[in-house]
Amino acid sequence: MKNILLLLLSICLVAGTAFKNTWSADTKRITDDTPPRKVVKTDAEWKKILTPDQYAVLREHGTERAFTSPLNKIHDHGTFYCAGCHNPLFSSDTKFDSGTGWPSFYKPIAKSAVKEETDKSYGMVRTEVLCNVCGGHLGHVFNDGPKPTGLRYCMNGVAMTFEKK
């Protein structure tokens, strides 16, 4: 009996260590080791909660026209969230004007906020950026960004919302 209790205690300690500091109640921030929650909906459910433009980008991997997003002009301090599931994606501290016509960032708010996949559409190879919670298409990442990362996360503004701090 004592061995079983020790085994259970060990498992709890290991599990607790694996997920420690994943969500800080005082800062309410996602961290790099936060295991992402998952949001799964049917197409009909997505169509009910998203605008037609949001649906076309997030669920059908579309692209909004350059220079049409109001988020491109935002310079306030705050957080950019996925429009589909409200997953925090980017801090305004990492936003920069790339001149491309889409909101651009040099890094996500946490590594676990987004996932990257190879996109071979339109006869080219790019790195697609998806929301790691709902799988929504956000945009693409390129290697022509500013320091410190040298990356340009070129995001569709319609795929995101912004909350000012």
Side-chain angles (χ1 to χ4, degrees):
M1 182 69 160
K2 184 178 176 184
N3 288 341
I4 293 173
L5 288 174
L6 286 173
L7 178 63
L8 288 173
L9 180 60
S10 298
I11 292 170
C12 289
L13 288 173
V14 169
T17 302
F19 295 108
K20 74 176 185 173
N21 297 327
T22 58
W23 185 265
S24 173
D26 54 296
T27 61
K28 297 199 182 338
R29 284 197 61 198
I30 193 169
T31 61
D32 283 340
D33 59 350
T34 303
R37 62 186 168 89
K38 294 296 179 189
V39 172
V40 179
K41 297 182 183 298
T42 65
D43 283 339
E45 290 171 320
W46 284 120
K47 285 179 180 179
K48 282 184 183 178
I49 65 169
L50 299 173
T51 67
D53 289 339
Q54 289 172 328
Y55 184 85
V57 170
L58 285 165
R59 308 317 310 167
E60 297 178 327
H61 302 261
T63 301
E64 70 187 350
R65 285 185 300 124
F67 300 101
T68 61
S69 173
L71 297 187
N72 202 31
K73 297 175 181 86
I74 288 180
H75 301 290
D76 296 324
H77 184 67
T79 303
F80 293 83
Y81 294 86
C82 176
C85 66
H86 203 66
N87 179 34
L89 299 170
F90 298 95
S91 166
S92 61
D93 296 338
T94 64
K95 188 174 187 284
F96 67 98
D97 184 6
S98 65
T100 61
W102 290 278
S104 297
F105 306 85
Y106 62 81
K107 74 175 186 176
I109 204 162
K111 291 177 187 174
S112 62
V114 298
K115 69 178 176 177
E116 298 176 8
E117 294 185 353
T118 301
D119 176 4
K120 295 181 180 179
S121 63
Y122 302 109
M124 58 185 127
V125 178
R126 301 177 289 174
T127 302
E128 180 181 20
V129 179
L130 304 161
C131 174
N132 204 21
V133 172
C134 70
H137 170 76
L138 302 169
H140 293 86
V141 62
F142 303 95
N143 292 319
D144 60 359
K147 292 181 180 181
T149 65
L151 298 174
R152 174 174 53 95
Y153 285 83
C154 187
M155 302 293 98
N156 288 285
V158 72
M160 300 184 296
T161 60
F162 176 76
E163 290 183 16
K164 187 176 175 179
K165 285 191 179 178

